[in-house]
Amino acid sequence: MNEEPEAKTPDEPEASSAEESQSVGRVFLVVVDESPEMEVALRFACRRARHTGGRVALLYVTEPSEFQNWLAVGDLMRDEARSQAEQVLQKLASQVTDMVGSMPILFLREGQKRDQLLKLLEEEPSISILVLGASTSQGGPGPLVSALTGKFIGRLSIPVTIVPDSLLEEQIDAIT
């Protein structure tokens, strides 16, 4: 008699994130944005994941619509932002797969970037290391790096690797 496996209900947990992280090694989380320093952080994370048997995770956070009071306009803007985020994640997932040899873990959230990042780190124990790119321009390292190395550092439960955007691909390859 052939029995089909029972379908899981949304309440039933799948394999625990801790078990998953042990089987795949370290998970390197990169916060996706349009900055040049994100590209440096992504390359660093991919190279480290490839050489340690780990995985890369990508977090894309869309900002909430400014048109909350105008429901239809806000919904349209939210849909467009989500569509754009999905396209960016799809493109980056392809790059990660080429560099690491495995698909990345993808997270798409809406809200303030710092808040959503901290919330994700609390919810996902499989994430081992946060990899952030830092701008070396006069404007400073960037708001996320500044916040997480400043007053929000106490909320982090994992190491943070900060990669300066001045590193060349060859330099990243040599140190990873």
Side-chain angles (χ1 to χ4, degrees):
M1 178 192 233
N2 260 345
E3 289 186 23
E4 300 220 10
E6 277 187 51
K8 288 195 179 275
T9 63
D11 311 357
E12 291 180 50
E14 293 184 19
S16 79
S17 294
E19 290 172 9
E20 204 173 277
S21 69
Q22 288 176 354
S23 66
V24 297
R26 293 183 182 135
V27 176
F28 297 85
L29 177 65
V30 177
V31 180
V32 175
D33 60 22
E34 307 297 323
S35 70
E37 55 266 22
M38 187 278 303
E39 293 289 332
V40 175
L42 182 62
R43 182 171 189 88
F44 183 92
C46 287
R47 299 282 300 177
R48 290 289 298 141
R50 182 171 185 91
H51 288 110
T52 62
R55 288 188 69 188
V56 172
L58 303 174
L59 169 63
Y60 193 110
V61 180
T62 60
E63 297 289 322
S65 168
E66 295 175 15
F67 293 95
Q68 297 293 337
N69 295 334
W70 299 0
L71 190 58
V73 175
D75 287 345
L76 180 61
M77 291 180 73
R78 186 178 303 111
D79 290 345
E80 287 176 5
R82 183 171 183 87
S83 177
Q84 179 185 354
E86 288 171 351
Q87 289 174 8
V88 169
L89 282 174
Q90 191 173 41
K91 177 184 167 212
L92 292 176
S94 176
Q95 290 177 9
V96 169
T97 301
D98 290 345
M99 284 194 274
V100 179
S102 63
M103 280 291 293
I105 304 164
L106 304 176
F107 298 100
L108 177 54
R109 302 230 171 158
E110 181 179 358
Q112 299 300 318
K113 193 178 293 184
R114 181 196 65 227
D115 297 338
Q116 291 301 315
L117 170 61
L118 292 170
K119 186 175 177 183
L120 176 65
L121 293 175
E122 290 171 6
E123 296 170 358
E124 288 294 328
S126 65
I127 297 171
S128 313
I129 299 171
L130 174 61
V131 181
L132 297 173
S135 173
T136 54
S137 72
Q138 288 185 345
L144 196 54
V145 172
S146 295
L148 295 178
T149 58
K151 68 180 186 175
F152 291 95
I153 196 157
R155 294 200 40 205
L156 295 173
S157 59
I158 61 171
V160 179
T161 299
I162 299 174
V163 186
D165 67 354
S166 60
L167 289 181
L168 303 173
E169 287 184 2
E170 299 80 27
Q171 292 172 307
I172 293 171
D173 294 350
I175 61 176
T176 55

